Amino acid sequence: MRNPRGRGLQAGALGTFDTVVMAVAGSAPAYSLAATTAVLFGAVGTAGPAALLYCAIPMLGIALAYRYLGRIDVNAGAGYSWVGRTLHPFLGFLSGWALVVSATVFMVAGSLPAGSMTLALFDEELARNTAWATVVGAAWFLLMLLVVLGGVRLTVRAQLVMSGVELLLLALFAVLAVLHSEHARAFDWSWFGLGHFDGVTGFASGALIAAFYFWGWDVTGNLSEETRDSRRTTGLAGLIGLGVVFLLFEVFTVAVNVVLSSDRIRAGEANVLAALGEEIWPGWGGRLLMLAVMLSTVATLETTLIQVTRSLFAMGRDRTMPSALGKVHPTWNTPWVAVVVVGAVALVMFVASNALGTVGDILAAAISAIGLQIAFYYGLTGLAVVVAYRRTLLRSPVRFVLGGVWPLFGALFMFWVFFESLGELDAAAITIGIGGLAAGLLPMFWYRRRGSDYYRPARLDAARAVETEYVPAGRPTAHARVHEGLPTDF
């Protein structure tokens, strides 16, 4: 439906390069490696490269789903809109809710390492203090909140600086890791095979953690209403971003296996990348990679804020959540109410997180919980593209494979990982993961009873969709109106 206030997000603010940068930053390569490698090693040992490889294949199917669905429905809610218009509005709402919950939980999982890494640049002992890490992390979070509030152009400029420095440092240490001569283990091609997993359940646990590594590239879908030529650009940027982070993840996971001992990896907790840097380049290496992780963490806080606030904006616009969330600032063209609400909730969670233990304990529970929610909403999106394109899949072999078989495989894989990993997770992870999803039932039924048009959707069918350019040729005006429920069916 149209925004009742008559103002939308700023159309045409982002180009192709900007969107690719946002996709890479969304997956936060340095942060993911630092925060998650010890957790992955604890689950699958030296089979980390295999877990990432075998999760990347179905993940590519989900990225293809985003590309095909983005061609026929431009919506800041992305999967929330697509799943609701193909499978069922209830599933669509829960898909959007899963993203909102996972992103909100990540505000704690991401901000704490940002604070810890910042403190570690000056004092290693202080960095282990959860309270101080919370304070500094909250300060970084509030800064990114103000950047996101200031508009998508400011957001991208900040992102270019942070991600640019991060990627340059990672590229430098990738080369240095190859040249490093002191090895804890000899390289072994079996790290890419299936032999190191502890059965099917062990494989599922590794894949669930690997899903957290990749998560974030789909921010391009939530930025579609603010991207030039978005029907083509956002899906392509997501694919490119996924490819870039996959290569970085594999290179550094192998480097960790080769250079660091098992005890050093386990002791690293949220600081494994810094330990790798110190081993490769004593003195400077640890600090430089710590700087990369800090920048990566802050950068991905920004992209996560984009995802959750744009999703809430779409929900408020559709009146499946309080309509105030659909308000857009008259000057900055940002969903300012959604930004303020997310900030307030996250700050409360920062305080509550201190009761959960150390930074490492909090990360371990949050990563697995977020992995469950990611698998849930990615799986639904993979099914949605098959339903939306069901009448056109046989028109060409390319569309049959890329728009049907591969996304379907990705969806089934995500659902399998979701259910298979439940038996291995601890109570905290299951409570956060499943309890967070279940909490969405209350607003879903409440706003369904209040008559939101979202629950009476126009079906999304690629055979009848209008695949036109999203933004007309020429430069949009400073306050250009943007897609506000633009129909894509005849």
Side-chain angles (χ1 to χ4, degrees), residues 105-130:
V105 171
F106 179 78
M107 301 306 171
V108 176
S111 296
L112 285 175
S116 179
M117 291 294 174
T118 304
L119 292 169
L121 291 172
F122 306 98
D123 188 330
E124 289 284 349
E125 287 300 319
L126 200 58
R128 298 187 181 94
N129 187 304
T130 304

mmCIF file of all heavy atoms in Angstrom, residues 105-130:
data_model
loop_
_atom_site.group_PDB
_atom_site.id
_atom_site.type_symbol
_atom_site.label_atom_id
_atom_site.label_comp_id
_atom_site.label_asym_id
_atom_site.label_seq_id
_atom_site.Cartn_x
_atom_site.Cartn_y
_atom_site.Cartn_z
ATOM 1 N N VAL A 105 19.487 -8.630 17.887
ATOM 2 C CA VAL A 105 20.408 -9.411 18.713
ATOM 3 C C VAL A 105 21.855 -9.103 18.316
ATOM 4 O O VAL A 105 22.756 -9.006 19.159
ATOM 5 C CB VAL A 105 20.117 -10.920 18.576
ATOM 6 C CG1 VAL A 105 21.208 -11.752 19.250
ATOM 7 C CG2 VAL A 105 18.759 -11.252 19.175
ATOM 8 N N PHE A 106 22.045 -8.914 17.015
ATOM 9 C CA PHE A 106 23.404 -8.624 16.538
ATOM 10 C C PHE A 106 23.922 -7.287 17.053
ATOM 11 O O PHE A 106 25.134 -7.085 17.125
ATOM 12 C CB PHE A 106 23.440 -8.634 15.008
ATOM 13 C CG PHE A 106 24.804 -8.328 14.457
ATOM 14 C CD1 PHE A 106 25.781 -9.302 14.449
ATOM 15 C CD2 PHE A 106 25.115 -7.065 13.980
ATOM 16 C CE1 PHE A 106 27.050 -9.018 13.980
ATOM 17 C CE2 PHE A 106 26.379 -6.772 13.503
ATOM 18 C CZ PHE A 106 27.355 -7.756 13.499
ATOM 19 N N MET A 107 23.030 -6.369 17.399
ATOM 20 C CA MET A 107 23.490 -5.102 17.950
ATOM 21 C C MET A 107 24.367 -5.340 19.191
ATOM 22 O O MET A 107 25.340 -4.628 19.419
ATOM 23 C CB MET A 107 22.306 -4.207 18.338
ATOM 24 C CG MET A 107 21.364 -3.866 17.220
ATOM 25 S SD MET A 107 22.193 -3.147 15.800
ATOM 26 C CE MET A 107 20.833 -3.145 14.635
ATOM 27 N N VAL A 108 24.016 -6.355 19.962
ATOM 28 C CA VAL A 108 24.838 -6.715 21.120
ATOM 29 C C VAL A 108 26.050 -7.527 20.671
ATOM 30 O O VAL A 108 27.189 -7.238 21.053
ATOM 31 C CB VAL A 108 24.010 -7.516 22.148
ATOM 32 C CG1 VAL A 108 24.895 -7.964 23.306
ATOM 33 C CG2 VAL A 108 22.858 -6.671 22.656
ATOM 34 N N ALA A 109 25.807 -8.540 19.829
ATOM 35 C CA ALA A 109 26.891 -9.419 19.376
ATOM 36 C C ALA A 109 27.941 -8.652 18.589
ATOM 37 O O ALA A 109 29.109 -9.039 18.566
ATOM 38 C CB ALA A 109 26.315 -10.550 18.513
ATOM 39 N N GLY A 110 27.537 -7.567 17.938
ATOM 40 C CA GLY A 110 28.490 -6.783 17.170
ATOM 41 C C GLY A 110 29.105 -5.638 17.953
ATOM 42 O O GLY A 110 30.288 -5.334 17.785
ATOM 43 N N SER A 111 28.324 -4.992 18.794
ATOM 44 C CA SER A 111 28.834 -3.823 19.507
ATOM 45 C C SER A 111 29.857 -4.197 20.576
ATOM 46 O O SER A 111 30.819 -3.458 20.803
ATOM 47 C CB SER A 111 27.674 -3.057 20.153
ATOM 48 O OG SER A 111 26.811 -2.541 19.174
ATOM 49 N N LEU A 112 29.662 -5.328 21.235
ATOM 50 C CA LEU A 112 30.618 -5.730 22.271
ATOM 51 C C LEU A 112 32.022 -5.941 21.705
ATOM 52 O O LEU A 112 32.996 -5.425 22.263
ATOM 53 C CB LEU A 112 30.126 -6.990 22.984
ATOM 54 C CG LEU A 112 28.972 -6.774 23.968
ATOM 55 C CD1 LEU A 112 28.485 -8.107 24.515
ATOM 56 C CD2 LEU A 112 29.402 -5.870 25.113
ATOM 57 N N PRO A 113 32.197 -6.678 20.585
ATOM 58 C CA PRO A 113 33.542 -6.786 20.007
ATOM 59 C C PRO A 113 34.086 -5.437 19.544
ATOM 60 O O PRO A 113 35.286 -5.200 19.610
ATOM 61 C CB PRO A 113 33.350 -7.741 18.825
ATOM 62 C CG PRO A 113 32.159 -8.538 19.176
ATOM 63 C CD PRO A 113 31.257 -7.594 19.906
ATOM 64 N N ALA A 114 33.201 -4.552 19.042
ATOM 65 C CA ALA A 114 33.670 -3.226 18.637
ATOM 66 C C ALA A 114 34.279 -2.503 19.828
ATOM 67 O O ALA A 114 35.357 -1.888 19.730
ATOM 68 C CB ALA A 114 32.518 -2.414 18.049
ATOM 69 N N GLY A 115 33.607 -2.585 20.979
ATOM 70 C CA GLY A 115 34.153 -1.966 22.189
ATOM 71 C C GLY A 115 35.413 -2.660 22.663
ATOM 72 O O GLY A 115 36.404 -2.014 23.033
ATOM 73 N N SER A 116 35.393 -3.996 22.640
ATOM 74 C CA SER A 116 36.541 -4.770 23.100
ATOM 75 C C SER A 116 37.774 -4.509 22.237
ATOM 76 O O SER A 116 38.884 -4.320 22.743
ATOM 77 C CB SER A 116 36.190 -6.262 23.086
ATOM 78 O OG SER A 116 37.279 -7.044 23.493
ATOM 79 N N MET A 117 37.584 -4.487 20.906
ATOM 80 C CA MET A 117 38.715 -4.255 20.004
ATOM 81 C C MET A 117 39.265 -2.838 20.143
ATOM 82 O O MET A 117 40.478 -2.620 20.061
ATOM 83 C CB MET A 117 38.278 -4.491 18.556
ATOM 84 C CG MET A 117 37.969 -5.932 18.227
ATOM 85 S SD MET A 117 39.442 -6.969 18.302
ATOM 86 C CE MET A 117 38.707 -8.592 18.063
ATOM 87 N N THR A 118 38.385 -1.876 20.347
ATOM 88 C CA THR A 118 38.839 -0.496 20.539
ATOM 89 C C THR A 118 39.706 -0.395 21.788
ATOM 90 O O THR A 118 40.782 0.218 21.776
ATOM 91 C CB THR A 118 37.631 0.459 20.658
ATOM 92 O OG1 THR A 118 36.807 0.326 19.497
ATOM 93 C CG2 THR A 118 38.103 1.896 20.778
ATOM 94 N N LEU A 119 39.257 -1.019 22.872
ATOM 95 C CA LEU A 119 40.027 -0.995 24.114
ATOM 96 C C LEU A 119 41.340 -1.761 23.976
ATOM 97 O O LEU A 119 42.366 -1.361 24.542
ATOM 98 C CB LEU A 119 39.192 -1.591 25.251
ATOM 99 C CG LEU A 119 37.974 -0.766 25.682
ATOM 100 C CD1 LEU A 119 37.080 -1.589 26.606
ATOM 101 C CD2 LEU A 119 38.408 0.523 26.363
ATOM 102 N N ALA A 120 41.319 -2.853 23.194
ATOM 103 C CA ALA A 120 42.517 -3.676 23.027
ATOM 104 C C ALA A 120 43.639 -2.933 22.313
ATOM 105 O O ALA A 120 44.820 -3.278 22.465
ATOM 106 C CB ALA A 120 42.176 -4.951 22.265
ATOM 107 N N LEU A 121 43.276 -1.919 21.540
ATOM 108 C CA LEU A 121 44.307 -1.109 20.885
ATOM 109 C C LEU A 121 45.153 -0.352 21.903
ATOM 110 O O LEU A 121 46.283 0.051 21.609
ATOM 111 C CB LEU A 121 43.655 -0.115 19.911
ATOM 112 C CG LEU A 121 43.014 -0.707 18.654
ATOM 113 C CD1 LEU A 121 42.248 0.374 17.899
ATOM 114 C CD2 LEU A 121 44.073 -1.341 17.755
ATOM 115 N N PHE A 122 44.602 -0.186 23.126
ATOM 116 C CA PHE A 122 45.296 0.591 24.151
ATOM 117 C C PHE A 122 45.662 -0.229 25.383
ATOM 118 O O PHE A 122 46.708 -0.012 25.989
ATOM 119 C CB PHE A 122 44.426 1.780 24.576
ATOM 120 C CG PHE A 122 43.975 2.641 23.438
ATOM 121 C CD1 PHE A 122 42.714 2.483 22.885
ATOM 122 C CD2 PHE A 122 44.826 3.585 22.888
ATOM 123 C CE1 PHE A 122 42.292 3.270 21.824
ATOM 124 C CE2 PHE A 122 44.424 4.376 21.823
ATOM 125 C CZ PHE A 122 43.156 4.217 21.279
ATOM 126 N N ASP A 123 44.788 -1.189 25.748
ATOM 127 C CA ASP A 123 45.008 -1.952 26.986
ATOM 128 C C ASP A 123 44.331 -3.319 26.867
ATOM 129 O O ASP A 123 43.106 -3.400 26.843
ATOM 130 C CB ASP A 123 44.443 -1.180 28.185
ATOM 131 C CG ASP A 123 44.807 -1.812 29.526
ATOM 132 O OD1 ASP A 123 44.972 -3.054 29.573
ATOM 133 O OD2 ASP A 123 44.926 -1.073 30.518
ATOM 134 N N GLU A 124 45.139 -4.385 26.813
ATOM 135 C CA GLU A 124 44.597 -5.732 26.639
ATOM 136 C C GLU A 124 43.731 -6.166 27.814
ATOM 137 O O GLU A 124 42.714 -6.827 27.637
ATOM 138 C CB GLU A 124 45.745 -6.738 26.447
ATOM 139 C CG GLU A 124 46.467 -6.635 25.117
ATOM 140 C CD GLU A 124 45.663 -7.227 23.979
ATOM 141 O OE1 GLU A 124 44.644 -7.894 24.258
ATOM 142 O OE2 GLU A 124 46.033 -7.021 22.817
ATOM 143 N N GLU A 125 44.136 -5.810 29.026
ATOM 144 C CA GLU A 125 43.366 -6.202 30.206
ATOM 145 C C GLU A 125 42.004 -5.529 30.216
ATOM 146 O O GLU A 125 40.979 -6.140 30.537
ATOM 147 C CB GLU A 125 44.139 -5.852 31.481
ATOM 148 C CG GLU A 125 45.326 -6.744 31.752
ATOM 149 C CD GLU A 125 44.920 -8.199 31.915
ATOM 150 O OE1 GLU A 125 43.889 -8.472 32.567
ATOM 151 O OE2 GLU A 125 45.625 -9.077 31.379
ATOM 152 N N LEU A 126 41.971 -4.260 29.886
ATOM 153 C CA LEU A 126 40.716 -3.516 29.869
ATOM 154 C C LEU A 126 39.753 -4.087 28.830
ATOM 155 O O LEU A 126 38.530 -4.075 29.012
ATOM 156 C CB LEU A 126 40.997 -2.039 29.574
ATOM 157 C CG LEU A 126 39.917 -1.017 29.973
ATOM 158 C CD1 LEU A 126 39.620 -1.106 31.461
ATOM 159 C CD2 LEU A 126 40.350 0.385 29.582
ATOM 160 N N ALA A 127 40.307 -4.620 27.750
ATOM 161 C CA ALA A 127 39.476 -5.174 26.679
ATOM 162 C C ALA A 127 38.687 -6.391 27.144
ATOM 163 O O ALA A 127 37.645 -6.721 26.558
ATOM 164 C CB ALA A 127 40.340 -5.539 25.484
ATOM 165 N N ARG A 128 39.157 -7.075 28.191
ATOM 166 C CA ARG A 128 38.463 -8.267 28.687
ATOM 167 C C ARG A 128 37.336 -7.919 29.664
ATOM 168 O O ARG A 128 36.607 -8.802 30.098
ATOM 169 C CB ARG A 128 39.465 -9.197 29.370
ATOM 170 C CG ARG A 128 40.547 -9.722 28.429
ATOM 171 C CD ARG A 128 41.405 -10.778 29.118
ATOM 172 N NE ARG A 128 42.451 -11.256 28.238
ATOM 173 C CZ ARG A 128 43.684 -10.770 28.210
ATOM 174 N NH1 ARG A 128 44.021 -9.791 29.045
ATOM 175 N NH2 ARG A 128 44.590 -11.253 27.376
ATOM 176 N N ASN A 129 37.200 -6.677 29.995
ATOM 177 C CA ASN A 129 36.165 -6.226 30.922
ATOM 178 C C ASN A 129 34.859 -6.015 30.152
ATOM 179 O O ASN A 129 34.763 -5.101 29.338
ATOM 180 C CB ASN A 129 36.612 -4.928 31.600
ATOM 181 C CG ASN A 129 35.665 -4.496 32.703
ATOM 182 O OD1 ASN A 129 34.471 -4.322 32.471
ATOM 183 N ND2 ASN A 129 36.202 -4.321 33.904
ATOM 184 N N THR A 130 33.858 -6.858 30.419
ATOM 185 C CA THR A 130 32.604 -6.795 29.668
ATOM 186 C C THR A 130 31.897 -5.457 29.844
ATOM 187 O O THR A 130 31.311 -4.916 28.908
ATOM 188 C CB THR A 130 31.673 -7.939 30.100
ATOM 189 O OG1 THR A 130 32.351 -9.186 29.922
ATOM 190 C CG2 THR A 130 30.401 -7.953 29.256
#
